[in-house]
Amino acid sequence: MFGPKPWLFRVAKVLAGVWLLAALQGCGTFATSHPQEAGAYRQAIATADTAEVLARLGKQSASSDRLLYLLEAGRIQQIDGDFAASRATFARAIEMFAAQDLEAQVRLEHWAAVGGSLLTNDKLLDYRGFGYERIFVHYFQALNYLGLGDAEGAAVEFRRLAYEQQVLEAQHEKTLALARQEARENRIPVQQLQSEHFAGLDRYTADIRSSLLNAQAYVTAAAFWASRQAIDDARIDYLKALQIRPGSRLIETRLARLDADPVQQSPTAQLVILYEEGFVPARVPVGIPLPTLDGGFIALQFPVYALERRSAPVPLQVEVGPAGTVSTELMVDVSKLAAKSLSEQMPMLLLRQTLRGYSKYQLQRQARRMGGGWGQLFASIYNLVSEQADLRSWLTLPNSLQVAQIEVPAGEQQVHLRTPQGLQTWPLRIAAGETRVLRVISTPGRTRIQDLRW
């Protein structure tokens, strides 16, 4: 048996005085579910009728989920080809991430781990985003700059990727250490609970070293540097990508070509295909019963991924010039990246959920003593309403990111793409020594092609 320290019981008595008000507030707070809302975003993307959805997202600037709404809006705008609007939206999201970093330096991390969700649940907290989402913001922002013909702006974002990764890794290690210390002080075996109830997450993501490592971002950056003859920068980013995707034929081939003759002007051209396939899966809730010190049980809800339902990444077939048919190579399985992020956050999540569960349990006992049957009834309703898993995440992200890099003759070309919606052809005029990028975004019901000129 395990449980929190005696101070939590005193906290529960204080909370008993406000439990009814909190329950009433909770009914409004938990009325909507982001995965359900995101279904409308995805449908709007499929039909190219996004005006209403973007207007609705734009009205959420004062919401506790405002960062999440910015991420969704920026992604939708970019898929629509409105690079200027997407750049402005993602810039606001980046500002919010920066503000979070400043806040983290002055606030008490002890209470940040438990904090305002002790009475209700994590859905009451402001959405702060996940590390892998933050990396995606800078990757997509670089593509926005490229779409606007601003190579210098893209270069800044590509350089920020490595820096952001270092900052996020340091933040995660610090927060994880604090959570483990808090768990020890409250006698909560978070590692045991994680291995007992969430081992599937770890097995599923065993081949992912960190949720912060995005090979697609590094490969894209490397191709960008190579096209501008920044060979050392290109080599560094290809090597980073190879560490994430060891054995990648594409990356090894590009490195070999850089090492063979990095500056020779080629009579051919380079065509880079950036393929974004499907949508990342949403989190789903699961209930976990935990024992109490007095022989009872508390029921808690946690977010998980229904791993058995996921769609495996499907490569894109590309035909152009004498190269024949080329398949895109998987660089990021975003569903695995998201699941890895959840696994990395699980110790902190288990700590908060367990402490909250014990506080609610004591609250219910106190309500029964103070209010008899009515107190028990209202406490039970409150627990039912407030105990909901936080399912929020960025749901217009792709299911996978893939890439192909093809050497093609200079001149007029016809690029044939075998997409889920059938064969699509894209006319291309390309000069010797030029690098051109076709970004192919395939979502259920629709495929978009964006021609980015570097």
Side-chain angles (χ1 to χ4, degrees), residues 143 146 220 223 270-274 428 435-439 450-454:
L143 296 186
L146 292 173
T220 307
Q270 296 294 322
L271 175 62
V272 179
I273 305 291
L274 302 179
L428 189 71
T435 298
R436 288 283 289 282
V437 179
L438 289 186
R439 183 187 184 200
Q450 296 175 347
D451 191 346
L452 306 180
R453 298 174 181 270
W454 287 3

Side-chain angles (χ1 to χ4, degrees), residues 114-150:
V114 181
S117 64
L118 189 59
L119 177 62
T120 52
N121 65 43
D122 287 357
K123 291 173 68 175
L124 278 186
L125 302 177
D126 288 350
Y127 188 77
R128 301 181 64 84
F130 301 100
Y132 74 96
E133 295 176 342
R134 189 163 170 172
I135 297 297
F136 267 117
V137 169
H138 290 290
Y139 172 68
F140 288 144
Q141 191 71 315
L143 296 186
N144 276 332
Y145 280 111
L146 292 173
L148 294 168
D150 185 349

Side-chain angles (χ1 to χ4, degrees), residues 145-429:
Y145 280 111
L146 292 173
L148 294 168
D150 185 349
E152 294 307 314
V156 170
E157 294 301 327
F158 282 135
R159 292 192 186 283
R160 290 179 72 174
L161 285 168
Y163 172 76
E164 289 292 332
Q165 179 190 321
Q166 294 173 359
V167 169
L168 291 168
E169 285 179 338
Q171 288 178 351
H172 174 70
E173 289 302 319
K174 181 179 180 181
T175 305
L176 181 60
L178 288 166
R180 286 173 173 166
Q181 177 183 349
E182 189 73 21
R184 286 194 297 271
E185 292 176 358
N186 285 280
R187 303 192 302 277
I188 300 174
V190 293
Q191 290 180 315
Q192 175 186 336
L193 292 172
Q194 185 168 358
S195 63
E196 288 178 354
H197 299 290
F198 302 100
L201 276 177
D202 294 328
R203 288 194 299 269
Y204 179 66
T205 61
D207 59 336
I208 306 294
R209 193 166 83 248
S210 167
S211 68
L212 301 176
L213 300 177
N214 190 314
Q216 181 90 350
Y218 285 125
V219 166
T220 307
F224 171 79
W225 299 126
S227 72
R228 303 179 69 79
Q229 295 301 311
I231 304 305
D232 289 341
D233 289 331
R235 183 179 292 106
I236 288 171
D237 280 346
Y238 274 133
L239 287 171
K240 288 178 180 177
L242 190 61
Q243 290 178 340
I244 303 170
R245 302 290 298 178
S248 165
R249 183 176 179 182
L250 182 147
I251 301 172
E252 290 176 346
T253 298
R254 304 321 302 175
L255 277 169
R257 292 194 177 185
L258 284 180
D259 293 336
D261 198 346
V263 297
Q264 180 182 4
Q265 179 67 34
S266 172
T268 60
Q270 296 294 322
L271 175 62
V272 179
I273 305 291
L274 302 179
Y275 183 45
E276 300 172 20
E277 172 257 344
F279 286 120
V280 67
R283 298 177 171 195
V284 296
V286 63
I288 302 294
L290 295 179
T292 65
L293 291 173
D294 58 3
F297 283 88
I298 53 176
L300 301 178
Q301 278 206 348
F302 292 84
V304 296
Y305 285 95
L307 307 180
E308 70 281 359
R309 302 181 202 163
R310 69 176 295 264
S311 299
V314 178
L316 178 70
Q317 304 297 316
V318 184
E319 297 178 13
V320 56
T325 301
V326 177
S327 298
T328 53
E329 185 176 317
L330 178 67
M331 288 294 153
V332 182
D333 186 331
V334 184
S335 65
K336 283 191 175 184
L337 212 63
K340 183 67 173 181
S341 176
L342 179 58
S343 178
E344 292 167 345
Q345 296 295 318
M346 193 55 70
M348 288 77 81
L349 183 59
L350 281 164
L351 171 64
R352 290 197 303 269
Q353 296 282 80
T354 304
L355 291 179
R356 179 171 64 247
Y358 282 122
S359 294
K360 288 183 181 180
Y361 182 73
Q362 293 303 316
L363 173 67
Q364 189 169 4
R365 296 179 63 191
Q366 183 77 0
R368 185 169 57 246
R369 287 194 295 268
M370 295 172 60
W374 283 108
Q376 173 71 18
L377 174 62
F378 282 114
S380 298
I381 293 174
Y382 165 68
N383 286 337
L384 179 65
V385 171
S386 65
E387 187 52 44
Q388 296 187 17
D390 184 2
L391 306 181
R392 295 174 297 177
S393 65
W394 188 359
L395 291 178
T396 52
L397 286 175
N399 179 58
S400 73
L401 293 170
Q402 306 175 35
V403 67
Q405 192 160 349
I406 309 167
E407 188 171 318
V408 299
E412 298 280 352
Q413 302 291 334
Q414 295 290 320
V415 183
H416 303 288
L417 306 166
R418 298 191 179 278
T419 74
Q421 286 73 45
L423 180 65
Q424 297 195 27
T425 300
W426 187 266
L428 189 71
R429 179 188 290 273

